[in-house]
Amino acid sequence: MALCGWWLIHFLIFTSCSAHDFFTSIGHMTDLLFTEKDLVTSLKDYIRAEESKLEQIKKWADKLDVLSAAATQDPEGFLGHPVNAFKLMKRLNTEWGELESLVLTDVSDVFISNLTIQRQYFPNDDDQTGAAKALMRLQDTYQLDTNAISTGELPGSSSTSSAWSTLTVDDCYDLGKVVYSEADYYHTELWMAQALRQLDQGETSRAVDAVTVLDYLSYSVYQQGELERALEFTRRLLDLGYKDDYLPERKKYEQLCRGQGIKLTPRRQSRLFCRYYDNNRHPRYVIGPVQQEDEWDSPHIVRYHNIVSEKDMEKVKELAKPRLRRATISNPVTGVLETAHYRISKRRATVHDPHTGKLTTAHYRVSKSAWLGAYEHPVVDKINQLIEDVTGLNVKTAEDLQVANYGLGGQYEPHFDFGRKDEPDAFEELGTGNRIATWLLYMTDVQAGGATVFTDIGAAVKPKKGTAVFWYNLYPSGEGDYRTRHAACPVLLGNKWVSNKWIHERGQEFRRRCSLNETD
């Protein structure tokens, strides 16, 4: 099926756009409606082609079913007829091969080609977030009830338009999540409450359940200081048989640790590449570039192979061993390091400090760690310089190299590396801004378990000795990238040594240019 003329026109229109921001223009959104209509037509063509293929296969199977049933009643008598013997040879030699070709024929090529071409001009995460914020703006300005928005019954709207303008449970939940990521707990409560009402009214969802919605509701109400209502939602969670050990995120985390639920499709996988990387012809790597492999597309997570020598890794472990202590966490209120005791992390792994009344990060971490400064040994300075050369970021304002050794069942539950909006003073004492990026070096192979998993995006990165994984925690705008929420899976068999380098914002002003767009 050739691309229609309509699409060629709009293809040229879209390619002329330097940025998306579709939600800011009804004209652009009108174009998107016709793009979607074209895709639906293409999808229907694909469905018809699949149905035609399956119908041919079904007819063949039905015919062979009847034939084989009759033939196997008296095999010798059946094959005694020379025509039957010939046709059996012909079927097995020729016709089954033709059927195999038919089954393997991929009739989706045209549809996928259309979708791939058009998808690069679809709205992105920024557009979806912008549209969600626009709804909140309309809600506040015109004092609209969430139920009125959800049913599409807005002032001045006709019954015809309202019929198609309803929000599902999933839509309400997604709106709540968008504003939750902005620490807007007022609107989070409104939209999670709407999602809960629709669930209570019998609407079903494959992706959202009452436990998940109540979890967000109780937390957002609590953040607004309404403790009694927060307790009510918590009691309802308990009535549903809710237990901290089985939070939805925890289930996802454990699935990813087992290698299940990974969301990278074969088509997305095909867009990931390995390459020799010289960091824009850096003098150290022009002759001997490093091996860089894409682990994930969005957010972009890369792995560097054979990046640190066996000798250097052993020296780092040797330096760290005498000072290994139970893993500590930074209290964003006091700036003091505290022992990270066993606890269940709830979404953002934060708890209310009963003494200060402020949020304190308390991730569940079972490991021992040590901190190594560049001045302590040339090998530490060498690794710091390597990180700077490869990433192009200034490591002089980074934290010291943290070396961690995970013991029996050692793990680190889902957490963010950067300070969030509800932790404004997380790294204030350091005076170097937020954690802009993470460098994670695997210093041992792990026989089983121990993967680094990203619970929001469904990614799993396996430990491999001598390789380092790198990603940005912040967008160029300085906003936190909440897709980078990650965890260290329990070590099932073996011994896991890693070292982390948390790189901060200060000093990157001319190395990673900022952007005015919040999620650019």
Side-chain angles (χ1 to χ4, degrees):
M1 181 180 67
L3 288 174
C4 64
W6 178 90
W7 166 243
L8 288 174
I9 295 169
H10 286 276
F11 176 87
L12 294 172
I13 293 172
F14 284 1
T15 52
S16 67
C17 296
S18 58
H20 291 293
D21 290 339
F22 289 110
F23 71 95
T24 62
S25 165
I26 291 293
H28 272 164
M29 285 191 283
T30 303
D31 293 338
L32 290 176
L33 277 178
F34 286 100
T35 300
E36 189 171 49
K37 184 176 184 296
D38 182 52
L39 278 176
V40 171
T41 302
S42 180
L43 178 61
K44 286 185 174 180
D45 288 341
Y46 160 65
I47 292 170
R48 281 192 288 270
E50 284 284 12
E51 288 174 340
S52 174
K53 183 176 108 173
L54 287 172
E55 186 60 31
Q56 292 179 63
I57 296 170
K58 185 176 182 297
K59 285 180 181 178
W60 170 263
D62 290 343
K63 182 181 76 173
L64 264 291
D65 185 38
V66 173
L67 178 62
S68 60
T72 52
Q73 288 179 0
D74 180 14
E76 291 187 2
F78 181 83
L79 293 174
H81 195 295
V83 172
N84 290 340
F86 165 74
K87 292 185 71 174
L88 174 65
M89 296 301 107
K90 179 176 179 289
R91 279 197 305 277
L92 292 174
N93 182 51
T94 306
E95 294 179 17
W96 275 100
E98 292 172 353
L99 179 68
E100 180 183 20
S101 297
L102 177 61
V103 170
L104 293 175
T105 299
D106 187 354
V107 296
S108 68
D109 284 351
V110 173
F111 170 68
I112 293 298
S113 176
N114 253 354
L115 181 59
T116 301
I117 292 171
Q118 298 191 34
R119 188 167 53 192
Q120 60 187 315
Y121 305 105
F122 279 10
N124 56 24
D125 290 344
D126 296 345
D127 289 304
Q128 185 174 334
T129 299
K133 289 179 178 178
L135 267 181
M136 305 298 160
R137 193 157 53 247
L138 293 171
Q139 180 180 9
D140 293 344
T141 304
Y142 298 104
Q143 296 182 340
L144 301 174
D145 180 68
T146 51
N147 191 63
I149 298 175
S150 182
T151 56
E153 297 173 357
L154 302 182
S157 64
S158 65
S159 57
T160 305
S161 62
S162 298
W164 295 99
S165 308
T166 57
L167 295 175
T168 64
V169 168
D170 299 292
D171 295 331
C172 296
Y173 173 75
D174 287 340
L175 282 168
K177 278 187 68 178
V178 167
V179 288
Y180 178 83
S181 68
E182 302 284 323
D184 179 355
Y185 300 114
Y186 168 72
H187 285 106
T188 301
E189 178 196 346
L190 293 181
W191 285 102
M192 289 301 174
Q194 180 63 32
L196 187 62
R197 270 195 297 274
Q198 291 181 209
L199 284 172
D200 290 343
Q201 290 166 3
E203 187 177 334
T204 58
S205 167
R206 289 183 298 177
V208 183
D209 57 25
V211 167
T212 307
V213 174
L214 281 164
D215 193 20
Y216 276 100
L217 256 178
S218 61
Y219 187 74
S220 57
V221 169
Y222 170 69
Q223 283 292 83
Q224 296 175 78
E226 299 182 45
L227 301 185
E228 289 188 10
R229 291 187 61 226
L231 281 172
E232 287 177 17
F233 288 126
T234 304
R235 288 191 188 100
R236 183 167 173 183
L237 280 173
L238 292 172
D239 291 340
L240 291 173
Y242 167 93
K243 294 181 181 179
D244 274 345
D245 277 348
Y246 296 97
L247 286 168
E249 185 185 46
R250 185 178 178 87
K251 288 182 180 178
K252 187 187 294 184
Y253 154 60
E254 291 174 348
Q255 283 181 330
L256 289 169
C257 289
R258 295 191 295 268
Q260 302 165 353
I262 296 173
K263 294 182 179 178
L264 194 63
T265 62
R267 184 161 292 275
R268 286 176 65 190
Q269 179 74 48
S270 69
R271 298 182 188 137
L272 304 184
F273 297 97
C274 297
R275 63 187 70 81
Y276 284 107
Y277 178 76
D278 62 13
N279 193 13
N280 294 321
R281 298 186 63 78
H282 190 284
R284 290 181 187 270
Y285 303 117
V286 171
I287 297 177
V290 296
Q291 299 170 11
Q292 186 191 67
E293 177 185 4
D294 295 328
E295 284 284 347
W296 205 260
D297 53 355
S298 183
H300 195 204
I301 304 170
V302 296
R303 188 198 295 261
Y304 296 98
H305 290 268
N306 304 313
I307 198 69
V308 177
S309 69
E310 174 87 24
K311 179 182 176 183
D312 288 347
M313 287 188 292
E314 289 305 312
K315 188 62 184 179
V316 169
K317 286 189 277 185
E318 179 188 323
L319 292 168
K321 273 182 183 177
R323 58 177 87 175
L324 284 175
R325 301 180 63 185
R326 182 67 187 274
T328 54
I329 55 172
S330 178
N331 181 320
V333 177
T334 65
V336 177
L337 290 174
E338 301 173 347
T339 301
H341 298 295
Y342 178 101
R343 70 177 302 110
I344 302 301
S345 59
K346 181 175 181 180
R347 276 194 312 278
R348 296 208 180 192
T350 54
V351 294
H352 216 65
D353 188 317
H355 302 295
T356 64
K358 297 182 179 180
L359 288 173
T360 301
T361 304
H363 303 301
Y364 169 175
R365 187 169 191 178
V366 181
S367 66
K368 286 188 174 181
S369 63
W371 297 83
L372 301 177
Y375 59 88
E376 297 186 54
H377 195 278
V379 74
V380 182
D381 187 47
K382 178 181 176 182
I383 290 174
N384 286 344
Q385 188 61 53
L386 165 74
I387 296 170
E388 180 162 318
D389 292 341
V390 171
T391 66
L393 297 175
N394 186 346
V395 300
K396 291 179 177 61
T397 57
E399 294 171 51
D400 286 345
L401 191 70
Q402 186 195 51
V403 182
N405 182 215
Y406 290 79
L408 178 64
Q411 68 170 14
Y412 194 169
E413 282 203 351
H415 63 283
F416 298 104
D417 281 349
F418 62 91
R420 278 88 68 208
K421 288 188 176 182
D422 52 8
E423 301 172 331
D425 303 325
F427 303 106
E428 185 178 27
E429 191 174 81
L430 298 177
T432 53
N434 211 341
R435 287 174 173 170
I436 191 173
T438 295
W439 170 280
L440 173 62
L441 172 67
Y442 297 110
M443 299 193 295
T444 52
D445 288 314
V446 180
Q447 288 171 263
T452 304
V453 298
F454 293 75
T455 52
D456 187 68
I457 59 175
V461 179
K462 294 181 179 179
K464 185 177 179 183
K465 188 175 184 179
T467 69
V469 178
F470 174 80
W471 67 87
Y472 281 101
N473 297 305
L474 307 179
Y475 290 105
S477 64
E479 290 293 315
D481 188 345
Y482 287 88
R483 300 171 300 171
T484 61
R485 187 166 173 81
H486 61 286
C489 295
V491 176
L492 180 59
L493 282 176
N495 184 19
K496 182 182 176 184
W497 281 87
V498 299
S499 60
N500 302 288
K501 192 74 174 176
W502 285 301
I503 305 169
H504 283 246
E505 291 176 292
R506 191 67 51 80
Q508 318 307 337
E509 292 83 356
F510 299 102
R511 301 196 181 210
R512 192 196 191 207
R513 298 283 184 173
C514 63
S515 168
L516 294 178
N517 292 326
E518 287 188 4
T519 53
D520 265 6

